[in-house]
Amino acid sequence: MKILLTSSSKHGSTDEVAAVIAERLQAAQIDVETKRPEDVDTVDDYDAFVLGSAVYMTKWTPEAVDFTKRFHDALKAKPVWAFSVGLSGLPKGKVSDPMRIGPVLLALDPEDHMTFAGRFDPSRLNLRERSIAKLGGASEGDFRDWGEVRQWADAIATSLHDDTLTGGRERP
């Protein structure tokens, strides 16, 4: 079983979440390759996928969306898990609508989608991004729940191991 974990991160927070997910999957004896979505040329060698993106202005990054379009047919044929990282402009890292990137996910029909709170560090943002965040009411801080990230990764590992024992479940 070999899986591809892609991560599209503008300021590093989503990549850090992806690293923890990869670490947990590897600890569960799953072969994981981690790449940025724009660096992937083929997905032929993978049995499953974990796709992650930062969320800006209610959308996944253009690179993550492009990846899902380029490999749509292959992604539909294999198990896919997706995660989003962002604050949604809400105080204390609360997420208002976990399906805000719905069109991308509806096209893939993932096994699961998880929304994780992110990190808001104004020093990492440009003036435009700081202005938007301020208008949206974002609170400064790191709101990522690492226990939640690990738990989700462990659930993926359990599902992948169960599928291996039952002969897999390639989609129709």
Side-chain angles (χ1 to χ4, degrees):
M1 168 84 42
K2 183 175 182 179
I3 71 165
L4 173 64
L5 190 158
T6 66
S7 171
S8 184
S9 187
K10 195 168 181 183
H11 299 290
S13 182
T14 303
D15 287 342
E16 291 168 0
V17 170
V20 170
I21 293 169
E23 178 182 288
R24 296 301 282 201
L25 294 174
Q26 289 165 345
Q29 306 303 310
I30 295 169
D31 185 8
V32 180
E33 187 168 352
T34 304
K35 289 186 173 184
R36 300 197 58 76
E38 62 270 26
D39 295 336
V40 178
D41 296 322
T42 181
V43 295
D44 294 341
D45 296 335
Y46 302 104
D47 302 300
F49 305 90
V50 178
L51 314 177
S53 178
V55 176
Y56 293 98
M57 302 298 290
T58 75
K59 296 179 182 174
W60 268 15
T61 67
E63 295 82 4
V65 173
D66 177 65
F67 176 87
T68 65
K69 290 178 180 176
R70 283 188 293 135
F71 300 111
H72 177 265
D73 292 343
L75 295 171
K76 287 286 289 182
K78 304 280 176 123
V80 174
W81 286 263
F83 68 97
S84 301
V85 178
L87 295 175
S88 298
L90 297 174
K92 301 193 179 92
K94 294 184 181 176
V95 177
S96 64
D97 178 8
M99 294 305 288
R100 65 192 173 278
I101 47 103
V104 172
L105 295 179
L106 289 173
L108 295 179
D109 189 28
E111 304 294 317
D112 191 21
H113 170 252
M114 182 64 115
T115 301
F116 298 112
R119 173 185 66 212
F120 178 55
D121 179 354
S123 70
R124 292 176 173 248
L125 307 180
N126 64 37
L127 179 60
R128 180 179 176 273
E129 292 168 329
R130 282 194 306 271
S131 299
I132 291 169
K134 185 176 181 179
L135 287 171
S139 299
E140 186 172 348
D142 188 343
F143 304 100
R144 295 170 296 178
D145 181 336
W146 296 112
E148 183 181 48
V149 173
R150 289 181 189 98
Q151 182 178 12
W152 189 69
D154 291 346
I156 294 171
T158 298
S159 181
L160 289 168
H161 283 305
D162 289 349
D163 286 348
T164 301
L165 294 174
T166 60
R169 67 166 185 267
E170 197 161 303
R171 296 178 181 188

